[in-house]
Each structure stands twice: as C-alpha cells, then as structure tokens.
Amino acid sequence: MSRFDGRVAIVTGAASGIGKEIALRFAAEGGIPVIADLNLDAATATASEIKSKGGDAFAVAMNVADEEMVEKVVGEVIAKFGKIDVLVSNAGIQIVKPLVDFPFADWRKLLSIHLDGAFLTTRACLRHMYAANYGRVIYMGSVHSKEASKLKAPYVTAKHGLIGLAKVVAKEGAEHNVTANVVCPGFVRTPLVDKQIPEQARELGLSEEQVVKTVMLKDTVDGEFTSADDVADAVLYFAAARSNGMTGQSLVVSHGWFME
Ligand code: NAD
C-alpha cells in the first residue's frame, strides 16, 4: 500500500521543472497526477514518461489564468476520475527588471499567472473537495514568500500573497476536511532559473558564475541548489497530511538560505 494509492492530484505547470518532479513522485507512490500545463506537448511527454514507468497520469492543456479554461479542465477531471484529492498550484513564471522600469503589462502578466491562477484553480477544485469532504491544497511559494530580492517586485509580491490565500483556505476549508499549505523553495535549477542567470548578470553587471555564487547560493549552508526532489518531499508531506495539524503553515526548503 503506497501513500497515494487511488488519489488524484491536479498539478499545474507539471510539464517542466518542480511540477514535473512532483507529478513523477506522486505517481511513483500510487497516485494519478493530472499534468495541467500551458504546454500540452510537454505535458503529454511527462504523462508518457510516468506511464512508461508503470504509473498512471493524465495530460491536459490549461492556462491557469483563464477562468473558462480552468473550469472546463476541472470539469473534465471530475468527469474522468470523479474526484480531486489534491491541488498543487505550481505554474509560474519569472520576470526580472528594476521596479522603476517594470512594464505594467509584465507586472499584470506575472500576477495573473501566480495569483489569479492560484485563486481560479483553488476555487474550481474546492467545490469538489467540499462535496467529497476531503482535500489537500498546496501552493508553490518561494523563499520570496518571506524575503525580497532586487529586480523581482511582482514575483515577491505574488509569492507573499500566496501565504495569505493559503491561510484563508485553511480557515474556510477546515470544516470540509480541506487543508492548505505553502512550500517555499530556494533556487532550483529549472528552466525558470536558467533563464534568469544571464538576465540578472546583465542587470547587476556580474558574470553568470558570480550571479550563482554571490546572489543565488550565497546564504545557503552548503553552496548547493535546492533540488526538485527536495521540494517534492515537502509537497508530498503536506499532500499526505492526516489531519489539520499543519494546515495554514508554510515550509521553507532552501538549503538554509532562509531560516525561520
Ligand atoms: P519551469 O519553468 O521549469 O516550469 C513552469 C511550468 O509552468 C512550465 O511547464 C510552464 O509551461 C508552466 N506554465 C507557465 N505559465 C503557465 C500558465 N499560465 N498556465 C499553466 N502552466 C503554465 O519552472 P519551475 O522552476 O519548475 O517553477 C515552478 C514553480 O516553482 C513556480 O511557481 C516558481 O515560481 C516556483 N519556484 C521556483 C523556484 C526555482 O528556483 N526554480 C524557486 C522557488 C519557487
């Protein structure tokens, strides 16, 4: 008997990076991840990889910031599986620029994916979780849910906001046996971070190696990136919660970069 036998989890942004690792790990423990991503080809490839390892998975195209699409996909998942046990609201992007130069359109784009996306997927899933009297909601925060960095105004704002949303879901969901948590990773070497290294180097006048050593990993205890596996451990811990004991809490997974 595995921890997630028969459980169904919608994992947004699971075609790549951290979300993909969460989906692989959830499937490896008997669960069925719904790989919901803007990039359907990559989502389908992730689902195929899971199936080739003997697991089960379902790939769907979803733009988390599109209300109609979120409602449609959640309806499809219910029609196919009859329930949603877990939501991992993970899809996200990064845009780095000094605040004084930040285009309003980029600010809105980032907030809509991180915050509108978290709200829309949560609302759509909660209705079914309440009906089933069970649900586990996990938001992908960041050390930037607790701490700020230069050049990341909308990202830091959005990631702080997710902590507030999780606390509300924890309070409103409690009577329906629905818990909510935030996992807050340090830097994980995914396409999202690979893209930032040259951008930050340009903005800060540093070499790429200096960005990694003196900006990204400077305060870790071991000079190491956080791994997607480290993050998946924490997400699956909350996904397997047996009670409200930890609900509303956020957990930092950052190799000691940020300690509470
Ligand atoms: P990634 O770029 O590897 O993967 C992000 C995925 O989200 C991609 O598959 C992309 O297609 C998808 N996506 C983007 N916009 C979407 C949308 N509107 N609707 C649906 N899917 C969409 O990035 P990652 O590093 O794995 O990041 C995943 C999450 O982890 C993000 O929320 C990010 O902010 C957070 N995070 C990442 C790091 C890090 O260092 N990589 C650290 C802390 C938090």
Side-chain angles (χ1 to χ4, degrees):
M1 175 86 182
S2 301
R3 263 195 305 182
F4 301 115
D5 274 347
R7 296 277 188 213
V8 176
I10 293 184
V11 186
T12 68
S16 170
I18 294 171
K20 179 177 176 182
E21 184 65 23
I22 292 164
L24 287 164
R25 293 272 310 273
F26 186 72
E29 292 194 57
I32 305 168
V34 175
I35 321 287
D37 202 289
L38 209 49
N39 184 340
L40 181 60
D41 287 345
T44 305
T46 300
S48 302
E49 187 177 333
I50 289 170
K51 287 179 186 161
S52 75
K53 292 177 175 162
D56 200 0
F58 178 51
V60 279
M62 183 202 266
N63 176 357
V64 294
D66 179 332
E67 181 178 13
E68 235 175 80
M69 207 170 184
V70 169
E71 294 288 334
K72 183 174 140 289
V73 168
V74 168
E76 280 169 20
V77 173
I78 290 295
K80 194 169 168 59
F81 299 107
K83 61 175 185 166
I84 298 161
D85 299 299
V86 181
L87 167 66
V88 184
S89 170
N90 164 79
I93 60 165
Q94 179 60 283
I95 305 173
V96 294
K97 283 188 185 93
L99 188 49
V100 285
D101 299 329
F102 228 101
F104 188 32
D106 283 351
W107 166 271
R108 291 174 94 154
K109 180 180 176 190
L110 195 144
L111 289 187
S112 79
I113 294 172
H114 288 264
L115 289 181
D116 296 355
F119 163 69
L120 290 172
T121 50
T122 301
R123 190 183 62 178
C125 290
L126 277 187
R127 295 190 185 116
H128 302 286
M129 290 173 169
Y130 285 1
N133 200 40
Y134 182 85
R136 300 288 173 260
V137 180
I138 297 120
Y139 299 99
M140 195 51 63
S142 164
V143 164
H144 289 109
S145 299
K146 314 262 175 180
E147 178 64 282
S149 289
K150 289 177 180 173
L151 312 179
K152 296 186 176 175
Y155 189 83
V156 170
T157 303
K159 292 302 191 189
H160 275 67
L162 291 176
I163 293 200
L165 178 61
K167 288 178 180 174
V168 175
V169 175
K171 290 204 171 191
E172 293 189 7
E175 64 182 292
H176 306 284
N177 193 23
V178 172
T179 62
N181 294 96
V182 188
V183 172
C184 302
F187 284 102
V188 183
R189 203 76 199 250
T190 66
L192 179 138
V193 161
D194 284 338
K195 177 174 163 285
Q196 281 174 63
I197 295 172
E199 290 173 355
Q200 291 217 35
R202 214 166 33 245
E203 293 286 354
L204 299 171
L206 300 171
S207 70
E208 294 190 16
E209 201 190 340
Q210 282 171 321
V211 168
V212 169
K213 285 207 167 128
T214 66
V215 179
M216 293 184 164
L217 304 181
K218 175 171 69 76
D219 294 320
T220 61
V221 294
D222 51 12
E224 290 197 13
F225 278 98
T226 300
S227 68
D229 200 45
D230 293 332
V231 181
D233 277 345
V235 169
L236 298 186
Y237 169 73
F238 287 128
R242 290 182 296 120
S243 75
N244 282 327
M246 293 287 285
T247 197
Q249 301 296 341
S250 53
L251 183 63
V252 178
V253 183
S254 70
H255 283 235
W257 162 17
F258 184 85
M259 299 188 198
E260 295 189 288

